[in-house]
Each structure stands twice: as structure tokens, then as C-alpha cells.
Amino acid sequence: MNRLAVELPGLSLKNPIMPASGCFGFGREYARFYDLSVLGAIMIKATTKEPRFGNPTPRVAETPGGMLNAIGLQNPGLDKVLTEELPWLEQFDVPIIANIAGSTMEEYVEVAAAISKAPNVHALELNISCPNVKKGGITFGTVPEVAAELTRLVKEVSAVPVYVKLSPNVTDIVAMAKAIEQAGADGLTMINTLVGMRIDVKTGRPILANGTGGLSGPAVKPIAIRMIYEVSQAVSIPIIGMGGVQTAEDVLEFFYAGASAVAVGTANFVDPFVCPTIINELPALLDELGIDRISECTGRSWKTGAHAVHCRP
Amino acid sequence: MIGREQMTVASQRLIAERTYELTLAGRLVQEMKQPGQFVHVKVAASADPLLRRPLSLCQIDHKQGQCTIIYRQEGKGTALLAQKQPGDTVDVLGPLGNGFPLEAAPAGGRALLVGGGIGVPPLYELAKQLANRGVNVVSVLGFQTKAAVFYEEKFAAFGETYIATDDGSHGAAGRVTDVIEARALEFDVLYACGPKPMLKALDERFRGRPVYLSLEERMGCGVGACFACVCHVPGSETAYKKVCSDGPVFRAGEVVL
């Protein structure tokens, strides 16, 4: 019995740990550190139809327990991802979740139709929550009707299950999740970064060239946990959780909140070996807590009625 | 091979105003080869500060199994690093990036090394390795003021060394480019590391010559995955180079400064 195995739409994962999109490129850099086949899956960098350079530098700034980024969806474009990046990733025994983005609904649809047919792409992650681009990204992820319409259109053309990545920068994330579920999404991934800002006290100017950026890292973990706790009780599609995951304990906390798998983002930058380290540490943690299979843990915090609490705004 | 190691602090001393020389010991030193490469240092085990700090290698000593880093205390990260005592450990990832191409300098030829402030340290290992290859080394080092000057004698051991300070409190008053001009310094190859305006001035003045510039940029991962430190390539809207993994050293004109 593989205690770490989890089953999700389109994804039979040997373990529930995967690097989050935008934090792992297309895997090439981290393949120098370890065999990528140890990972449960890889969420590759957001792909748009045309190559994108992204925002001016500086693109990162730090804050206690977190980091702000304003990369701006830099990527080599659909053609290169299809002809160079995905074929290169085929040498590893690891399913790929392709994160897709666009400036228009038509662009999302075009990228989804093409990339979902790649042999090692097992699922799509619809990026409607990037806070760092003027067109597309978060503009599709803050109005439930718009997000639902885009989900429907992408579902129509996709050859693989579609997960939608939710933005925490909304008033009612449960309403958003429900609208996307109704539109036919196979799963949710959450959360993307929170819009934040830092100002240089010497110059009085924003540190990021873009002004604002997306906050990630341990600082956002409690927000991710709360949102997953709320959303997982309101929908019946699975959630891949993310936001500040650094340790095996963090992974279990996300499961308890309602996640069925977990992505690791910023922590890869701090420690390139963080994903395999977590995968290696999970069995001992399960032993310590008397858990047979990690998949039993999903939603434990609210499934046992005695522990369930009501989240209030 | 890039590795990650808890390296041991062998020594740490203040060598100029807010400027520290930190010597680290560990097996990772054997992987360090090229002057101009850097290490990515986690200064605290806690999440504040969260990210690593890119710091250039100033000296590599394979025999002793030690490397030296010189850094200026600027913010929280470097302030924490400055508190490290001999025997403490530091989480180091490296060596990272591509350094200065030694082979660009012909034996018997003349290499001009131009450094500005905290861009001076990587030039020291470069001077050492060039001198070992029989290259004549001339160094021009710029600092803000006399109190910030370090390693003047150490560079002088490898060849002519000129100092410029912004306020004229030590060496020549003015910029490194003024010294190059005033002394009519000739070279077969020029290597530089320092603030962007200095690199820009060198790039413009010596366009078309063999000039190699080491860039600095805010980094996330340090290994090429996060796209935080990209710069444009001339003549293209979408082509780019990453400072951390394609650089930090580029030939002048290779990237847009």
C-alpha cells in the first residue's frame, strides 16, 4: 500500500506533493538538484499563446515570512512549451498540470485546446488569479459570472480535467468556488497570491517596478487554510491547496482544512530540495499521528462535527 | 555541481565601514571554480528574512577548504550575517552563475579590472587567477570615501592598483572612468563589477572591445526558475537573459543595461 497515493480527476498521484506554478519554471533548473520523478506532479509555469517578457525589474521584494513578486507571467509561449518544454519533461515519470493564462477568453481557449493534448499533460490549471498582469489573470477571477463563463469555454475544448486556480483577492471566495464548480470545473487550486506592496523608506518609492505584487510564503498560510476550510465544505470537487507550505506538518494542516493534494511554491526558492524533503518526511509524520493513508485526512478538521467551527467574516 | 551545505564560519572581521570579510569552511569550496560566481546564503533558519542573499565569492582556497565573502551591511539580512561568530554555521547554496571568462585574457596580455564599492570583491579572486596565468593585472577600484576602502594592498600584490573616491578622501577624486582616462590605461580585456551607472559608462566608452560586466539584480531563487532577475537582450521584445543563471557576468552589449 502506498500511503501517500491520492486520486484526483485526471491525476493518479504517487504522493500529493507538487511544485506550484511559477515557482518551478519548466523543471529544468530543479532537475539539476534531484530526479523530478519523485514528485507527485509538476505544475508548470503559466503558458500564454505568445511569448511574454513580463514586468520590469525589480520583480521581487521581501517581507517578514513572505515575498512579493511581480514577474508578470513571463513565459516562452505556447509553441515552445509544446515543442521544447513538455517533450523534455517526458523523461520523468511525473504527470504535468499545465497552468494556462491569456488576455482574452479566446486566447485561454486556444491555449487550453492545444496544451491539453500533450501526452504528459494530465490536467489544466486555469490561471484566473495572477495579480501582476493588466489584461487577463485576475480580471477573470474576481467576478463569478466571468470566471464561470471562462471555465465553461475551457472545459468544452480541454482533453483533460480542468482545475481553476482561485484568487484570494475577492470578497466571497465561496461564491466564486461555487460558480466555478457549477460551470463544470473538475477541481480547484487555491490560493494564488495576495496583492501587496512595499515602499522603500529611503526613496519613498515602491520597491517593485510594477508597484504592487503578489504576496506568497509562510505569511499567507493562515489565509489559505481558512479559505480552503470554507470552500471545501461548500463544494464537492477536490482542492489542491497551496500558500506558504514548507514542511510535512504544513501539508497535513492543508489536508485537514480540506485539501486533497498540496503544492509548494516560494519554499522552493528558499530550499531547492524542499519537495523531496517533505515527501520523505511525510511517512514518519503519519506514523507519529497514527494515520494509515494521507487521503483519509482531507477535511478532517470539519468532518468531525465536534471540531467544526463557523468561519465569520 | 551546485550543492547545499551548512558551512562553518572560520572567521569574520570588519574591514571597512559596514563592510565585513567572512570566511567559510566546507566541502562545497571544492566545487567553487570560477571568479565571479556567487553563493546564495540563508542568513537565518527562521522565515524572516525568508529568501537567500546572493553574495559574490571574493576568494577561493581549495587547499584550506575555505572561501571568503565580502559584504556590506545594508539591511536585515546582512545585519544578521554580521552577527555570525567563528564556529557558527551558515546555510549556503552554490556555487551559482557563470563567472568571468579567464580565457578572454591572453597570457602576457593586460587585463584591466574595474570595481565599484561592493562590486570589488569578486575581482580579487579574478586578479589572483589571472596573475597565476601570467596575465598583467591592472586594477581600478572606486569607493565613496576613504572609510569604505578595502583590499587596496591585496590588489596591489597582483599589479598596478588605483583607487578613486567620490569625495577625494583617498586616491584620485572622482570616478573609476576618470582614472582610466587620466592614466590612459590600456587593456586587452576589461572585467568590471559595480553599480549599474558605472557598468553603463564602461559599456558605452569601450563598445566593441572585449569587456565583461558582472550585474547585480534582486533574485528570488538564484538558480533560474523564478524569472525575477531577467534582463532584456538588445533588439528583441521577448528575448531575455537571467542574471542568476545566464550571468551574472555578461559580455558588454549582450544584455541591455
Side-chain angles (χ1 to χ4, degrees):
Chain A
M1 177 185 84
N2 176 2
R3 307 163 71 190
L4 298 184
V6 297
E7 291 290 330
L8 295 171
L11 302 161
S12 289
L13 308 181
K14 52 186 170 285
N15 67 68
I17 307 304
M18 59 190 84
S21 179
C23 301
F24 208 70
F26 293 92
R28 289 179 191 269
E29 291 76 18
Y30 292 100
R32 292 186 294 170
F33 294 104
Y34 59 88
D35 179 359
L36 303 185
S37 301
V38 304
L39 298 167
I42 299 174
M43 299 169 128
I44 55 172
K45 194 152 172 53
T47 298
T48 53
K49 191 179 166 217
E50 303 297 334
R52 282 185 61 106
F53 182 80
N55 293 320
T57 57
R59 294 174 166 190
V60 292
E62 264 186 300
T63 194
M67 120 178 200
L68 288 163
N69 90 79
I71 307 297
L73 298 183
Q74 177 152 14
N75 78 91
L78 178 63
D79 286 348
K80 272 214 165 146
V81 173
L82 286 176
T83 57
E84 291 176 19
E85 305 297 348
L86 285 169
W88 178 83
L89 277 163
E90 279 185 49
Q91 65 185 294
F92 303 103
D93 175 26
V94 60
I96 304 300
I97 302 173
N99 184 297
I100 61 163
S103 303
T104 62
M105 291 213 186
E106 292 72 31
E107 194 185 334
Y108 274 97
V109 167
E110 196 173 332
V111 176
I115 209 165
S116 68
K117 291 183 185 76
N120 52 344
V121 168
H122 291 214
L124 296 187
E125 182 181 46
L126 199 53
N127 185 343
I128 55 166
S129 44
C130 174
N132 297 322
V133 291
K134 285 195 180 71
K135 282 184 185 172
I138 202 167
T139 54
F140 290 108
T142 47
V143 180
E145 295 75 26
V146 178
E149 174 65 8
L150 184 60
T151 304
R152 249 189 301 275
L153 292 172
V154 168
K155 267 298 286 179
E156 272 174 27
V157 299
S158 177
V160 294
V162 176
Y163 292 71
V164 180
K165 189 166 187 174
L166 301 188
S167 169
N169 304 295
V170 294
T171 314
D172 188 348
I173 195 154
V174 171
M176 180 61 76
K178 281 180 170 171
I180 288 166
E181 181 183 34
Q182 274 189 352
D186 299 281
L188 301 170
T189 68
M190 58 190 287
I191 57 174
N192 205 318
T193 55
L194 286 118
V195 182
M197 188 172 191
R198 284 212 53 206
I199 294 166
D200 186 325
V201 287
K202 283 182 195 151
T203 64
R205 295 161 62 107
I207 293 175
L208 295 170
N210 193 52
T212 59
L215 180 65
S216 62
V220 311
K221 197 184 96 179
I223 300 168
I225 294 289
R226 185 268 292 178
M227 289 185 159
I228 292 166
Y229 183 91
E230 287 181 349
V231 169
S232 61
Q233 293 177 75
V235 300
S236 47
I237 49 176
I239 296 169
I240 300 174
M242 64 198 74
V245 175
Q246 295 193 109
T247 63
E249 284 81 3
D250 290 338
V251 170
L252 219 50
E253 194 177 341
F254 273 78
F255 268 79
Y256 285 167
S260 297
V262 167
V264 181
T266 307
N268 290 291
F269 304 157
V270 181
D271 173 10
F273 300 96
V274 67
C275 287
T277 301
I278 290 175
I279 293 164
N280 289 335
E281 285 174 357
L282 272 171
L285 181 62
L286 296 185
D287 282 344
E288 195 185 314
L289 298 168
I291 298 163
D292 281 341
R293 301 174 68 100
I294 196 160
S295 56
E296 297 164 10
C297 300
T298 299
R300 183 173 281 188
S301 64
W302 49 263
K303 276 179 180 163
T304 42
H307 295 145
V309 293
H310 209 63
C311 289
R312 290 172 208 285
Chain B
M1 268 292 283
I2 302 167
R4 182 190 176 207
E5 185 182 0
Q6 299 293 328
M7 295 183 79
T8 306
V9 175
S11 68
Q12 165 132 266
R13 64 190 185 107
L14 188 71
I15 56 167
E17 194 176 58
R18 291 189 295 132
T19 308
Y20 293 82
E21 179 198 67
L22 173 68
T23 302
L24 298 170
R27 53 172 176 73
L28 209 52
V29 174
Q30 303 310 326
E31 306 294 333
M32 300 170 182
K33 301 274 159 35
Q34 226 183 349
Q37 285 187 300
F38 65 98
V39 287
H40 219 21
V41 178
K42 181 96 172 78
V43 297
S46 68
D48 183 21
L50 183 64
L51 298 176
R52 291 172 178 272
R53 296 292 186 272
L55 298 167
S56 64
L57 290 166
C58 172
Q59 206 180 344
I60 306 162
D61 185 340
H62 290 141
K63 258 192 209 151
Q64 297 278 330
Q66 294 185 339
C67 65
T68 305
I69 291 158
I70 290 177
Y71 62 94
R72 189 160 62 202
Q73 189 187 320
E74 294 278 8
K76 193 182 242 170
T78 41
L80 284 167
L81 194 57
Q83 289 170 11
K84 298 279 180 187
Q85 303 287 332
D88 289 350
T89 57
V90 179
D91 182 339
V92 177
L93 179 71
L96 301 173
N98 300 298
F100 294 105
L102 290 166
E103 64 287 355
R110 200 172 214 234
L112 183 58
L113 276 50
V114 185
I118 209 63
V120 168
L123 300 179
Y124 183 70
E125 178 65 24
L126 176 66
K128 193 177 87 184
Q129 291 198 24
L130 286 172
N132 283 344
R133 292 167 66 103
V135 176
N136 299 303
V137 176
V138 179
S139 305
V140 183
L141 312 175
F143 298 92
Q144 282 181 337
T145 184
K146 187 180 179 181
V149 177
F150 59 89
Y151 269 39
E152 182 178 1
E153 300 78 24
K154 292 189 115 190
F155 273 91
F158 295 118
E160 289 171 49
T161 299
Y162 303 95
I163 303 289
T165 50
D166 292 347
D167 62 1
S169 53
H170 189 62
R175 298 170 187 281
V176 287
T177 40
D178 301 329
V179 174
I180 296 168
E181 188 120 316
R183 300 270 175 178
L185 296 175
E186 283 302 320
F187 60 85
D188 294 301
V189 57
L190 187 153
Y191 301 99
C193 183
K196 207 173 246 184
M198 183 194 100
L199 301 181
K200 254 187 166 166
L202 293 167
D203 181 32
E204 281 161 19
R205 188 172 301 226
F206 301 112
R207 185 65 48 92
R209 303 277 313 270
V211 172
Y212 295 89
L213 309 171
S214 181
L215 272 58
E216 191 185 30
E217 187 56 78
R218 275 174 189 263
M219 291 177 189
C221 66
V223 300
C226 77
F227 289 78
C229 63
V230 293
C231 45
H232 279 283
V233 170
S236 169
E237 282 293 306
T238 53
Y240 61 88
K241 298 268 182 185
K242 298 171 190 167
V243 173
C244 69
S245 56
D246 296 319
V249 176
F250 296 99
R251 184 160 180 160
E254 195 180 345
V255 296
V256 178
L257 293 176

